Amino acid sequence: MAKSGFCLLAFIVILASVIAEEMYSDMFDHIDPDEILPNDELRNQYYKCFMDTGPCVTEDQKFFKQHAAEAFATKCRKCTEVQKKNVEKIVVWYTENRPDEWNAMVVKLLEDAKKLNITPAV
């Protein structure tokens, strides 16, 4: 009886770990896009990092670039609530202020997701 109880508990733990999706680290959740977007120099630095036209000079830029294609393609499925709000701010700002740059980012993100075999969420 104890053995079957242990097996059931082990099965539940394994199932829970499979079902629970890994989230992106919240290490950079303190980064505020409202401080970056109005700053041409800083915003362009992030943009060039994402577009592979300039270096990623900060750890947060490297982190965001590493996860951007997956987050975009999966509609931020692994994002924290803060990350979801920040992505929304970025999308709104770019679509309203720099639509050509936004469109270029979308193309790049979709290309990167395809290279990583990530199917975009519908």
Side-chain angles (χ1 to χ4, degrees):
M1 185 75 164
K3 185 177 179 183
S4 64
F6 175 77
C7 288
L8 179 62
L9 179 61
F11 175 75
I12 291 171
V13 169
I14 291 169
L15 183 62
S17 67
V18 168
I19 292 172
E21 180 113 36
E22 177 185 336
M23 303 295 283
Y24 299 129
S25 171
D26 63 356
M27 174 182 353
F28 296 110
D29 279 8
H30 66 281
I31 303 295
D32 185 0
D34 290 329
E35 294 177 7
I36 297 168
L37 293 168
N39 181 323
D40 290 343
E41 185 177 339
L42 194 53
R43 184 189 64 253
N44 288 333
Q45 188 181 80
Y46 277 84
Y47 181 79
K48 289 176 181 179
C49 167
F50 287 134
M51 297 301 290
D52 294 325
T53 58
C56 298
V57 285
T58 64
E59 290 305 311
D60 62 301
Q61 289 173 2
K62 293 173 189 173
F63 174 83
F64 296 142
K65 180 173 175 33
Q66 176 185 359
H67 299 292
E70 179 184 40
F72 181 79
T74 63
K75 296 185 178 181
C76 232
R77 184 178 62 225
K78 295 182 183 179
C79 294
T80 66
E81 288 305 311
V82 170
Q83 291 163 355
K84 288 177 185 178
K85 289 177 186 174
N86 287 343
V87 166
E88 184 177 346
K89 286 180 184 182
I90 293 166
V91 170
V92 168
W93 190 92
Y94 269 97
T95 56
E96 290 178 356
N97 297 286
R98 303 283 177 133
D100 292 340
E101 288 180 6
W102 174 247
N103 290 333
M105 276 195 283
V106 169
V107 169
K108 174 90 169 73
L109 290 168
L110 290 173
E111 288 172 358
D112 289 350
K114 185 176 181 179
K115 289 177 191 172
L116 296 169
N117 291 324
I118 300 169
T119 306
V122 185

